[in-house]
Amino acid sequence: MPALHAAPVNRHYLDKVMAVAEIMAVEVIVDILDVRGLKLVAKGTRVTRALQEKLILHKLRQPFESCVRVSGGVDQRAIAGIAGRLVETSPSLAHILRASGKGSAAVLAQLARLEFGDALRMMLTVADRNGAHALEHAVLVSLLSVCMAQKLGLGEQDQMVAGLAGMLHDIGELYVAPAFLARGKRLLPHEWSHIVVHPRIGQMLIDELGGYPAAVGRAVAEHHERFDGSGYPRQIGGGQISAPGQAVAVAEVIAGLLLTDHPLERAELALKIIPGEYSHELLSAISGALRMATPDAAADPVRAQGGEGVEHLFWRIAAILDVGEGLMVGVAAKSPGMLELLHKTMERVRTIRRAFISTGLDVYVRPESDLGAGTDQMLLFEREVAGREIQWRLRDIARDLALQTSAPDEQVLLAPLVRMLDDDLPGAARAKPLAPAPAAWSGSVLAGGSMRHGGA
């Protein structure tokens, strides 16, 4: 990836800066020169829309990001205020803070010590103005990252790295076309190519502009990696992922669930659904927080939406395996690269099928099952969450499969499999066998008790 000063100004980020400049004072702090040394904008100039076209047409001698400063933007005081409010209003967050052994006062004090230069303050301000709750999410991930780092037994320096990386984990998204980040938009598998680069963009920005240890940028680059190698952008796993990177990855998942009903239960289900995705030490932090939840919180009514589609999901997984294994002995068998890709893909699908069984969803597939109306609401809740998480994992595989096939003939060959993985399409799994699910699929977690008591 080229250095910032060797490429034109990113038009998406520039447009967001211009939007901020319409409501806040954004000033040029050094002369902006093109690569030939020609002055484009003088130091002290107020940034306005009139500069946008001039800047977008030129490569700059130094990054645009290091040439501007915002007055009255996001600073440590604003971050500390948001962090304090989150701790006061989220009992679940408070439970996690206590379970990590750090305590809210210590974590808040650590966040108050985070420092950001002009370039990153500008980015945090842009994020704050660009999307509802974007800065709140960043602060929440930062808080949780420090907790997870503490749970891993990391020292103060690595905890600070995790906190900084948590705060900055999504700044790469500021450089992505807004159409691909629109709230509620469902991306097609091939469209994920616009999104999967944002961790690497974030790392590049931090390394060139932040003045931080390289570990901060690395942890940002790893925040969507998974311990079992199923994440992105590099699909690394285990010890290849830094400890702060692991902490931010788990924190980011938890943060996305803390504003829902029964967030700790949802988080534990989401993190344990596929064994090996996350380290055991980090999973224990969530389990500890759940055990520390007050009786009143645990007694809150569960509003499960039922388990519609679970049976269809089961047969869709079976159909995906049939199609994939058919491809492996068909045309794809002539290509070693294609065969290896399909082998890895099918192994991931088989892992998901095992998760379907181990979480107890299979009990709803068997004809003799009598788990319908009147079923315990927590079981229905767990069925809903587990089913949704499995569907997300199938979509992850669709994304990876689409992004790893570039040759047109390979894309055509794999298109039906990608579609089946991506969505619960009508007709995607019509060939439902007449035989019931094997009797050996008994003894699953939901059939014999609540999944939240299962192992990691």
Side-chain angles (χ1 to χ4, degrees):
M1 184 170 293
L4 292 175
H5 60 270
V9 180
N10 180 277
R11 64 178 63 248
H12 306 304
Y13 181 67
L14 181 61
D15 188 61
K16 295 179 180 77
V17 170
M18 293 300 169
V20 170
E22 292 175 346
I23 57 175
M24 305 178 75
V26 178
E27 178 188 13
V28 176
I29 55 176
V30 296
D31 290 341
I32 299 180
L33 310 177
D34 70 7
V35 290
R36 298 169 299 173
L38 178 66
K39 185 188 294 186
L40 301 176
V41 186
K43 176 182 177 180
T45 302
R46 177 80 176 261
V47 174
T48 66
R49 286 280 182 187
L51 296 177
Q52 187 166 3
E53 185 175 353
K54 178 185 290 188
L55 292 171
I56 207 68
L57 293 175
H58 296 273
K59 292 184 179 181
L60 305 184
R61 176 165 289 188
Q62 66 185 91
F64 166 74
E65 292 84 354
S66 64
C67 297
V68 295
R69 176 174 58 208
V70 61
S71 298
V74 172
D75 56 16
Q76 286 91 337
R77 184 175 178 180
I79 289 170
I82 294 172
R85 186 169 67 250
L86 286 169
V87 171
E88 290 175 2
T89 58
S90 173
S92 298
L93 177 58
H95 296 321
I96 293 173
L97 290 170
R98 287 199 297 272
S100 74
K102 189 78 174 174
S104 59
V107 176
L108 290 173
Q110 198 147 357
L111 252 65
R113 295 196 298 271
L114 299 182
E115 296 182 0
F116 308 96
D118 289 330
L120 294 179
R121 282 190 63 228
M122 182 80 246
M123 290 178 192
L124 290 171
T125 303
V126 167
D128 184 34
R129 298 289 175 173
N130 188 59
H133 308 300
L135 183 60
E136 181 178 288
H137 174 73
V139 173
L140 180 55
V141 173
S142 184
L143 281 167
L144 291 167
S145 296
V146 173
C147 291
M148 296 301 105
Q150 167 73 12
K151 191 64 181 178
L152 282 174
L154 304 185
E156 287 293 319
Q157 180 63 29
D158 280 338
Q159 289 179 37
M160 188 68 76
V161 166
L164 282 166
M167 187 70 64
L168 301 169
H169 73 285
D170 271 344
I171 61 171
E173 289 189 353
L174 300 175
Y175 290 66
V176 175
F180 296 105
L181 297 169
R183 192 174 184 86
K185 176 178 173 57
R186 182 185 175 109
L187 294 175
L188 297 175
H190 68 276
E191 291 178 321
W192 276 98
S193 62
H194 298 273
I195 303 298
V196 297
V197 296
H198 84 267
R200 179 68 183 96
I201 294 174
Q203 179 184 28
M204 180 185 71
L205 292 166
I206 290 166
D207 286 350
E208 292 205 26
L209 302 170
Y212 300 131
V216 177
R218 178 181 174 183
V220 167
E222 296 168 338
H223 79 271
H224 280 298
E225 301 289 0
R226 297 294 178 258
F227 207 69
D228 62 354
S230 64
Y232 67 84
R234 295 174 57 206
Q235 294 189 315
I236 58 176
Q240 293 176 293
I241 308 172
S242 69
Q246 292 179 44
V248 179
V250 170
E252 202 268 344
V253 172
I254 298 170
L257 298 169
L258 278 190
L259 301 181
T260 60
D261 65 304
H262 288 262
L264 295 178
E265 288 89 343
R266 287 184 185 273
E268 188 176 32
L269 287 165
L271 292 170
K272 290 184 177 181
I273 192 77
I274 304 294
E277 273 190 328
Y278 304 95
S279 70
H280 178 77
E281 291 85 354
L282 291 175
L283 294 182
S284 69
I286 304 305
S287 297
L290 187 58
R291 288 192 295 270
M292 293 175 70
T294 64
D296 289 342
D300 286 345
V302 173
R303 294 178 294 278
Q305 297 176 0
E308 294 82 7
V310 169
E311 183 178 7
H312 185 238
L313 177 60
F314 171 81
W315 296 116
R316 183 160 71 97
I317 294 171
I320 289 168
L321 287 168
D322 286 344
V323 170
E325 289 165 0
L327 287 171
M328 291 175 69
V329 298
V331 179
K334 300 177 182 178
S335 167
M338 177 70 73
L339 194 59
E340 181 181 4
L341 177 60
L342 280 169
H343 175 77
K344 291 180 179 178
T345 300
M346 290 302 100
E347 184 54 41
R348 290 179 67 182
V349 177
R350 283 190 283 271
T351 298
I352 287 174
R353 180 175 61 181
R354 289 192 291 271
F356 187 101
I357 296 166
S358 67
T359 55
L361 292 176
D362 64 298
V363 74
Y364 300 100
V365 179
R366 287 184 252 127
E368 67 272 17
S369 172
D370 190 27
L371 297 176
T375 299
D376 176 80
Q377 284 297 300
M378 184 55 76
L379 290 178
L380 293 177
F381 168 82
E382 291 174 341
R383 178 173 72 178
E384 173 197 338
V385 175
R388 185 182 300 115
E389 289 297 325
I390 285 176
Q391 288 173 335
W392 270 108
R393 299 314 191 278
L394 291 174
R395 289 187 63 199
D396 286 344
I397 298 175
R399 173 201 69 207
D400 294 343
L401 190 58
L403 296 183
Q404 292 183 60
T405 51
S406 55
D409 57 334
E410 293 180 351
Q411 292 173 345
V412 171
L413 182 65
L414 296 180
L417 181 59
V418 171
R419 284 197 298 270
M420 293 175 70
L421 286 161
D422 184 55
D423 201 4
D424 195 359
L425 297 170
R430 292 290 188 193
K432 173 181 171 182
L434 295 177
W441 290 7
S442 59
S444 51
V445 179
L446 283 180
S450 172
M451 178 177 165
R452 60 186 184 278
H453 299 303

